[in-house]
Amino acid sequence: MSIIQIAILCGVSALAHVFINVKWRGWLLLGLNITAIYWLQPAMPIRWMDFWLPTLIIAMTVTVWAITARPEMRFTKNNWCAGLFAVLLIICVALTRFISDEGIITASRPPQFGAVLAGLFFIGLIVLTFGKFSNPSKGLLTLFIAGFILIFVFIKLPVLMLLTSKVLRMIVGQNPQTASTFDIRWLGYSYVVFRIIHTIRDRMTGRLPDISLQEFINYVIFYPSMPAGPIDRMERFLKDLRAPVTRSPDTFAIGAERIFSGLIKKFIIADSLAIFSLNAGNALQVNSIVWQWIIVYAYAIQIYMDFSGYTDLAIGMAYWLGVRLPENFNQPYTRANLTQFWNNWHMSLTQWFRGYYFNPLTRSMKSGKIKIPATVVVLVAQVSTMVLIGLWHGMTWNFLLWGLWHGMGMFIHNRWSDFTKPLTIKYEDRTMLKKGWSLFATFLTFQYVALGWVWFALPNLDSSIAVFKRLAGL
Amino acid sequence: MKHPIYLIIFLFILAGSACGTKAEKSGPVTAVELYQQAFAAKDADKVSIYSCADWEAQALMEMDSFQAVDTELENLACTETGNDGDAVLVKCQGIIKTTYGEELREIDLSVRTWRMIQESGEWLVCGAQ
């Protein structure tokens, strides 16, 4: 997101804070969220995709609501209104085609109006079919989860990204030969899919609260957190959404403080560090060992400032809208081991993976017919969780190795903790020794995490290995 | 009316259809101008979407040759000059100024006549003579 887009979103959130009331808040948010999803979607070299991809996210959201809501809750007046309001807004976005030759809300001119109507008719048919005839059976819900993951794979795995781009180019009459793996830039899908899977899983386990269509769309595509998180839980989000709005100079100041902090972190610190931090270009140009370490450390600070800056902006804007988004970072680089680091880095993501992958996996491995040693359970669960987190960032060898790096690091730390437990108990009262050890462990953890960024920041194995060699003075 | 939102949606669709039956604002001249602006701004995404399938690769290759220089578009004005079968021919006046260090160059846009075709309601650049 550009600073202008952030400034506009902050302005809109501030206005909403001033004028919002409980009765109309849901509708106001629905309007803002749907408009924002089109407005924030970046331009793409494939014609009309900046219109169709946000439309697809709305369609997916409504379909998931239709299959997860209790049948008797689906066709109420309020839900019809929310659906029709969404359609109306999409039509308004499509109509901007006749006002300008370039995009007004979308990055480029929307498609022909007839195509939009046909698309909306088709989407409406799908939603109504699922809404009328489906029960939230486990089979159907599992199929939906698999479908969303499959789409995710298609937009994250380079070879499939290329294939997707070629197919889309052929559909819209563009040259498939000019397709590239950078063509598909689908804003927010990675985060939307977490919220959708969380909803479907909670329906499967019977934990999903009743939620209206308007509330569900607001939850899934809530504009402060849609582009880069945090990943909120539905029950918590709903509690805020249904609570009376607190409007006072204090609440405004709290939101403003977080936004100010986010702007400083992102646009002053992170963007300044980006000039000399680790990237493919800088990695090639830097020859001295000292500078090689400096660019790696600079990247470690830059990525933290960048990401936690965005989180601060999201939390601040959401605060003005009456929603307390969860924290995503809690001084992660001051933690004394890798497990603690991950409990304080991108917390909403790690909590999601713990709740929906790590815990179910360890439970099933422990309660299975075959007795699996505890060490193996920990190894498999930790490594596979971290590999999945790595692949969620992008399906490349570098992200896979970054996940392995952290998974193995956490497993080694787990074994080390078990091994040194008697010593820890023995020296429990030695405060100075404990403090010294904690400082050393924090230093060591930071080094390990910083070196891990070498996999994350660079585009391929060769460049990462070259940096590791230079860091070692080879 | 019981549900005014239905009426609103109906009116919007009606308005949209009415707009669709009228000649749309965008024509071949505007499309060339947008293409030239995207080209001078080195905006590959827009150059792609303003080009037809046959021209896209050539357009991107031409744009790549400007990557190392600073570019500026000046006095752009295009006019329709005729037809070539289904294609509309458009000629432009204006220059693209390129700067590489101290070296300045001017590319005269009037030397080319653009072939424009219409696909799925969009006017696209589809070659140059």
Side-chain angles (χ1 to χ4, degrees), chain A residues 43-48 50 77 80-81 83-85 87-88 91-92 95 97-103 107-113 117 169 172-176 178 183 185, chain B residues 2-3 5-6 8-9 12-17 19-20 22 24-27 30 34 37 43-46 48-54 56-57 60 119-124:
Chain A
M44 277 185 285
I46 308 172
R47 215 169 286 138
W48 306 311
D50 49 16
K77 187 182 166 191
W80 271 111
C81 281
L84 293 170
F85 185 54
V87 170
L88 194 69
I91 289 175
C92 283
L95 285 176
R97 173 183 174 84
F98 301 107
I99 303 171
S100 168
D101 295 308
E102 293 184 272
S108 66
R109 201 171 177 223
Q112 281 194 303
F113 195 65
L117 286 184
R169 279 170 174 275
V172 299
Q174 281 179 261
N175 186 355
T178 51
D183 285 354
R185 301 160 213 154
Chain B
K2 199 178 171 188
H3 296 297
I5 198 155
Y6 291 121
I8 297 169
I9 289 186
F12 265 82
I13 292 174
L14 204 67
S17 310
C19 293
K22 276 170 62 180
E24 288 183 10
K25 192 173 182 281
S26 185
T30 319
L34 289 171
Q37 285 161 9
D43 184 339
D45 292 339
K46 286 194 172 163
S48 276
I49 62 172
Y50 294 138
S51 303
C52 78
D54 292 340
E56 190 182 346
L60 292 172
E119 278 178 8
S120 308
E122 308 293 337
W123 281 99
L124 305 171

Side-chain angles (χ1 to χ4, degrees), chain A residues 113-289:
Chain A
F113 195 65
V116 174
L117 286 184
L120 287 177
F121 178 75
F122 182 65
I123 290 165
L125 216 58
I126 290 175
V127 172
L128 285 177
T129 308
F130 278 114
K132 277 274 183 207
F133 304 110
S134 76
N135 275 316
S137 69
K138 278 200 172 175
L140 179 73
L141 296 173
T142 309
L143 205 66
F144 264 82
I145 291 181
F148 287 115
I149 294 173
L150 195 68
I151 295 172
F152 186 80
V153 173
F154 266 82
I155 61 165
K156 288 280 179 179
L157 189 67
V159 64
L160 292 177
M161 283 157 78
L162 192 65
L163 179 72
T164 311
S165 174
K166 283 184 177 181
V167 170
L168 289 174
R169 279 170 174 275
M170 281 193 278
I171 292 171
V172 299
Q174 281 179 261
N175 186 355
Q177 300 301 321
T178 51
S180 94
T181 51
F182 302 106
D183 285 354
I184 315 280
R185 301 160 213 154
W186 196 351
L187 180 96
Y189 184 77
S190 310
Y191 284 93
V192 162
V193 83
F194 277 121
R195 296 183 193 110
I196 281 178
I197 291 177
H198 147 61
T199 306
I200 298 176
R201 277 296 301 163
D202 282 6
R203 165 54 69 218
M204 287 164 91
T205 52
R207 285 180 299 179
L208 192 75
D210 280 331
I211 183 168
S212 70
L213 178 60
Q214 181 219 73
E215 290 169 327
F216 189 65
I217 298 176
N218 281 334
Y219 165 67
V220 175
I221 59 166
F222 186 52
Y223 75 83
S225 60
M226 199 201 58
I231 307 156
D232 204 356
R233 294 188 61 82
M234 186 195 284
E235 299 91 324
R236 212 215 52 73
F237 185 87
L238 273 184
K239 209 176 93 192
D240 284 353
L241 202 63
R242 290 170 181 174
V245 188
T246 331
R247 196 183 302 125
S248 70
D250 284 348
T251 55
F252 190 84
I254 292 169
E257 198 182 311
R258 287 306 289 262
I259 288 170
F260 185 68
S261 152
L263 290 171
I264 300 275
K265 282 182 182 173
K266 163 74 188 116
F267 292 101
I268 296 181
I269 305 175
D271 286 1
S272 305
L273 285 170
I275 298 165
F276 64 95
S277 71
L278 181 65
N279 60 39
N282 288 346
L284 281 174
Q285 285 164 10
V286 171
N287 288 317
S288 83
I289 301 175

